[in-house]
């Protein structure tokens, strides 16, 4: 039995959704993240907070998902923010200038 590499939890409160991710975000798991964020937008949430406290690593494919979701959110008059990134993820965001958009 293999353990899932990423767990996705969602908690809704009014017009806000909190997505908590646990594991690693890479090419194999990015579609899970994309689906969760798209579902939030589809369900009409105007604020999407993503808690990365228990994400050990996020690669470029995960970054692409967050940037795409942020762009789609803005087009729907919604917002997406990342919270508590690991040092590695924070460096990735800073190095690409994405921190200004996502944090």
């Amino acid at each position: 039995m293999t353990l899932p590499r990423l767990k996705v939890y969602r908690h809704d409160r009014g017009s806000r959704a909190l997505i908590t991710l646990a594991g690693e975000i890479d090419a194999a798991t990015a579609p899970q993240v994309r689906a969760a964020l798209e579902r939030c937008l589809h369900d009409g949430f105007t604020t999407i907070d993503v808690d990365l406290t228990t994400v050990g690593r996020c690669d470029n494919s995960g970054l692409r998902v967050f940037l795409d979701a942020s762009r789609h959110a803005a087009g729907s008059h919604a917002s997406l923010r990342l919270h508590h990134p690991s040092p590695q993820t924070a460096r990735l965001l800073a190095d690409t200038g994405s921190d200004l958009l996502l944090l």
Side-chain angles (χ1 to χ4, degrees):
M1 179 177 96
T2 60
L3 296 174
R5 294 177 51 199
L6 181 71
K7 292 187 180 187
V8 179
Y9 304 96
R10 178 173 140 181
H11 178 75
D12 304 340
R13 176 174 267 168
S15 62
R16 298 180 80 102
L18 171 63
I19 300 292
T20 301
L21 304 173
E24 294 190 357
I25 306 171
D26 56 22
T29 60
Q32 277 180 270
V33 178
R34 183 179 302 280
L37 297 175
E38 286 176 356
R39 175 55 56 194
C40 289
L41 290 170
H42 179 266
D43 290 348
F45 289 99
T46 57
T47 303
I48 304 167
D49 294 307
V50 181
D51 183 356
L52 300 174
T53 301
T54 55
V55 170
R57 187 175 73 84
C58 177
D59 72 7
N60 290 335
S61 55
L63 175 61
R64 171 59 44 208
V65 167
F66 291 133
L67 290 172
D68 288 347
S70 177
R71 187 170 17 90
H72 290 136
S76 300
H77 305 289
S79 66
L80 179 135
R81 291 287 174 250
L82 305 181
H83 302 276
H84 313 293
S86 69
Q88 178 272 332
T89 301
R91 271 192 312 280
L92 174 65
L93 294 170
D95 289 349
T96 60
S98 303
D99 56 336
L100 301 174
L101 297 170
L102 296 171
L103 295 179

